[in-house]
Amino acid sequence: MATELLLLSLAISRLIAAVLGGGSGLTLTPNNPLHLTTFDGHLTTDASALSAASRDFGLLTQKEPSAVLRPASVQDIARLIRAANNKPSSFPVSARGHGHSINGQAQTANGVVVDMIRRHSKTTLGEAASYGPRVSAEGRYVDVWGGELWIDVLNATLEFGLAPNSWTDYLYLTVGGTLSNAGISGQAFNHGPQISNVHEMDVVSGKGEVLTCSREENRELFHAVLGGLGQFGIITRARIALEPAPKRVKWIRVLYSNFSAFTEDQEYLISLHAKPSSQKFDYVEGFVIVDEGLINNWRSSFFSPKNPVKISSLGGTNGGVLYCLEITKNYDESNADSVDQEVEDLLSELQYIPATEFTTDLPYVDFLDRVHKAELKLRAKGLWDVPHPWLNLFVPKSKIAEFDEGVFKGILGKKTSGPILIYPMNKNKWEEGTSVVTPDEDVFYLVALLRSALEDTQDRTQTLEHLTNQNRRILAFCQDSNIQVKQYLPHYTSSEEWRAHFGPQRWDQFRRRKMEFDPKHILATGQRIFSMEMGNDHAKGYAS
């Protein structure tokens, strides 16, 4: 261990010359607390580890840390954060899961990134990170490490005939990562987001304290961390609610050319959330089709390539824009005989274009893991590791028609460069008191523009510059039209924008929580929330 610390000291010392700003950042000296700290896991300055931690799924920004910690215990994380708090040699710390953020939110320059992914190796696992998901069939919950992937949680719980209530569309994300944002998918109208389905958590606060929190214990920290963008602590364990897992899924898509009919039907379907399971769908999403190619794109491959759906063949109005409602009905042996009739009864109430009903039947696991299968196809074509200028917005129900006119039928033109999701959620399914900001209406929509940029192309509408400018135009349109959207997975570059995002009351609460749980502003500086006037020695360039 002494040899390892010496090598580490020499390696990090070589980085000192690159450090700017003098009073902040990671520099090892004989008296530096990190230099004197012993970890059960591994603190590395290996070039490949630093490079991996400097990038994310967005590929829009890059910040290389000074070191990466691969913890073998909760105490490793606590030791690191306590060392980071030690002035005058303090430094920022960011937790990184699968690196699926878009704008460098899990990155940190001149600090330490905590690699939370659980590795199946005796040399990197410890008492907290070593176990896989632990299922309580009787209690209908599962305890999981914060760096566990949701796909592994699913596989573990299915062994007991159970599964989490609420999902994201993509399962190769970490539990701590999605809980730090919200975690949403087509089940949210019924079960709420993932943050509404957590019983308790273990959290290492920004002061290095290891705390168990729930709705009864350390309640303020519990609600602060849920949707808290990593600002208040690092989630090391979460207890997730489970329900009986269905065996199979009826997966249906129907098309609309009339936006009002489309949204009326979506809102009707989510209004059934209190009905018995036989009288509602289990999943309600949708997407927008503004160009011919996208109806059969990677996320829409549901439609047969031998019989491709043509927008022109449907006689679409409204500038050629189509809307696809995507719904599912779960079933197993207990309702296999009645599920078709249940689906037929529900569809009979809807206003979709006749003869545009497309149905498939598949195992529950295959439906939940559908995006990963598309990922593998894109990786094979070299189309996954490209810039992703995604824009995710919560749009109030009262303004969604105006958004449609201005964005779907206006700004986007005839090219989208990726799927555009749109679906409503019930606000009363969202836990009160969490850090997430949503519109102040009973129903609001997620609009997710999930675009990919291609630089080696003759089509300028697929370039990063074009898509980034289009995002700015969309946000400017919402501002000018007073649509009052809220960003999901928010990204801002000034404290004024963050204050506007939260609103005065929520901002005061968020700031107070920051001062209580991370008073030296150690954590998640990549979010660019807190500025120097708030006492953050590490916020030079952040939200200033």
Side-chain angles (χ1 to χ4, degrees):
M1 180 61 71
T3 301
E4 183 179 88
L5 285 174
L6 177 60
L7 291 174
L8 174 63
S9 176
L10 292 173
I12 297 183
S13 295
R14 286 197 292 268
L15 298 171
I16 295 176
V19 176
L20 301 176
S24 65
L26 175 58
T27 59
L28 281 192
T29 66
N31 295 320
N32 187 287
L34 184 59
H35 176 73
L36 301 174
T37 302
T38 300
F39 296 99
D40 300 322
H42 186 51
L43 186 70
T44 180
T45 59
D46 178 75
S48 62
L50 299 183
S51 177
S54 72
R55 301 188 307 275
D56 60 23
F57 179 70
L59 291 180
L60 304 177
T61 184
Q62 186 167 336
K63 297 175 186 174
E64 187 167 287
S66 297
V68 173
L69 174 65
R70 292 170 177 160
S73 65
V74 173
Q75 287 304 320
D76 271 356
I77 300 173
R79 293 178 188 118
L80 174 69
I81 293 177
R82 287 196 294 269
N85 272 278
N86 190 289
K87 287 183 176 290
S89 304
S90 51
F91 51 86
V93 173
S94 286
R96 184 182 192 273
H98 204 215
H100 211 262
S101 55
I102 301 301
N103 292 287
Q105 288 94 332
Q107 298 172 11
T108 182
N110 215 22
V112 178
V113 166
V114 183
D115 181 356
M116 293 293 293
I117 293 292
R118 188 170 68 88
R119 287 171 171 77
H120 300 273
S121 164
K122 292 182 180 179
T123 60
T124 60
L125 299 179
E127 31 84 20
S130 60
Y131 62 80
R134 293 182 173 177
V135 178
S136 170
E138 181 179 356
R140 284 197 182 179
Y141 65 77
V142 57
D143 283 315
V144 295
W145 171 250
E148 196 78 58
L149 296 179
W150 281 103
I151 182 64
D152 295 324
V153 176
L154 174 62
N155 289 332
T157 58
L158 284 175
E159 294 182 11
F160 297 82
L162 300 170
N165 301 335
S166 189
W167 292 101
T168 60
D169 285 335
Y170 181 57
L171 302 187
Y172 287 74
L173 305 173
T174 60
V175 170
T178 65
L179 296 184
S180 295
N181 289 282
I184 55 176
S185 185
Q187 303 89 359
F189 83 94
N190 196 30
H191 292 291
Q194 290 180 320
I195 59 171
S196 294
N197 294 274
V198 181
H199 293 313
E200 69 178 30
M201 297 179 290
D202 289 339
V203 174
V204 182
S205 76
K207 294 186 286 188
E209 301 171 317
V210 181
L211 299 167
T212 297
C213 56
S214 66
R215 294 172 183 84
E216 292 76 35
E217 181 181 5
N218 293 313
R219 179 183 177 90
E220 188 74 13
L221 178 62
F222 179 77
H223 284 123
V225 168
L226 293 174
L229 306 176
Q231 292 299 304
F232 311 108
I234 295 176
I235 300 169
T236 58
R237 178 186 65 90
R239 177 167 290 179
I240 308 298
L242 303 177
E243 66 176 358
K247 299 293 185 183
R248 298 190 67 82
V249 169
K250 295 282 186 182
W251 184 10
I252 306 111
R253 285 177 171 175
V254 294
L255 299 177
Y256 296 73
S257 61
N258 183 287
F259 186 71
S260 295
F262 171 69
T263 54
E264 285 174 12
D265 282 359
Q266 281 196 321
E267 290 163 19
Y268 164 71
L269 291 175
I270 72 166
S271 75
L272 304 177
H273 63 86
K275 297 285 187 180
S277 60
S278 62
Q279 298 176 33
K280 62 185 176 184
F281 285 113
D282 296 290
Y283 165 100
V284 177
E285 283 198 13
F287 56 92
V288 182
I289 306 159
V290 303
D291 59 345
E292 186 87 6
L294 267 194
I295 200 166
N296 292 300
N297 82 337
W298 67 268
R299 201 180 184 279
S300 307
S301 57
F302 183 96
F303 302 112
S304 170
K306 296 180 180 178
N307 185 26
V309 178
K310 298 286 189 180
I311 291 179
S312 56
S313 69
L314 298 173
T317 57
N318 297 318
V321 179
L322 287 177
Y323 310 94
C324 181
L325 172 64
E326 184 174 34
I327 43 188
T328 71
K329 199 80 173 68
N330 300 338
Y331 73 99
D332 50 31
E333 293 85 355
S334 64
N335 65 330
D337 293 337
S338 61
V339 65
D340 287 337
Q341 186 61 53
E342 291 171 9
V343 168
E344 183 179 338
D345 290 345
L346 285 163
L347 290 178
S348 69
E349 300 293 326
L350 306 182
Q351 311 166 68
Y352 57 90
I353 300 171
T356 65
E357 180 184 332
F358 302 85
T359 303
T360 191
D361 189 300
L362 71 170
Y364 182 62
V365 175
D366 289 355
F367 172 73
L368 291 180
D369 201 29
R370 62 200 180 281
V371 175
H372 180 59
K373 292 178 173 60
E375 173 194 349
L376 296 178
K377 295 177 182 178
L378 288 178
R379 286 189 182 278
K381 297 178 181 179
L383 297 176
W384 185 259
D385 294 320
V386 298
H388 297 96
W390 286 10
L391 180 63
N392 295 274
L393 303 173
F394 289 143
V395 183
K397 168 187 169 181
S398 64
K399 298 288 187 177
I400 194 65
E402 190 172 351
F403 189 95
D404 170 62
E405 288 291 336
V407 178
F408 300 150
K409 298 188 181 77
I411 293 173
L412 292 182
K414 297 296 180 182
K415 290 283 187 178
T416 61
S417 298
I420 304 171
L421 306 187
I422 173 172
Y423 57 92
M425 289 170 279
N426 296 305
K427 190 179 180 73
N428 63 6
K429 295 292 184 177
W430 289 62
E431 178 107 3
E432 291 188 6
T434 70
S435 295
V436 176
V437 180
T438 60
D440 191 21
E441 292 190 8
D442 292 339
V443 172
F444 59 90
Y445 281 77
L446 171 74
V447 175
L449 296 98
L450 309 180
R451 282 99 70 79
S452 301
L454 303 175
E455 293 306 306
D456 187 19
T457 178
Q458 299 299 313
D459 185 351
R460 72 172 189 84
T461 66
Q462 297 186 42
T463 64
L464 178 60
E465 179 182 11
H466 177 84
L467 295 175
T468 301
N469 288 335
Q470 200 171 67
N471 286 345
R472 293 194 187 102
R473 289 177 61 200
I474 292 169
L475 292 172
F477 165 77
C478 293
Q479 177 73 24
D480 295 343
S481 302
N482 195 32
I483 291 182
Q484 297 183 345
V485 299
K486 296 296 182 181
Q487 286 192 29
Y488 178 56
L489 314 177
H491 171 64
Y492 301 103
T493 57
S494 73
S495 55
E496 290 75 20
E497 290 173 313
W498 279 109
R499 291 188 183 99
H501 170 75
F502 284 101
Q505 185 174 352
R506 296 293 302 276
W507 172 252
D508 287 345
Q509 179 191 59
F510 197 82
R511 184 181 183 277
R512 174 178 55 78
R513 287 172 166 176
K514 183 69 170 179
M515 295 306 297
E516 180 176 356
F517 300 116
D518 183 24
K520 294 187 179 178
H521 300 183
I522 297 298
L523 298 174
T525 55
Q527 294 281 1
R528 302 171 63 90
I529 299 177
F530 292 97
S531 58
M532 287 185 65
E533 70 265 16
M534 299 180 68
N536 183 2
D537 290 341
H538 311 297
K540 295 180 180 179
Y542 294 103
S544 57

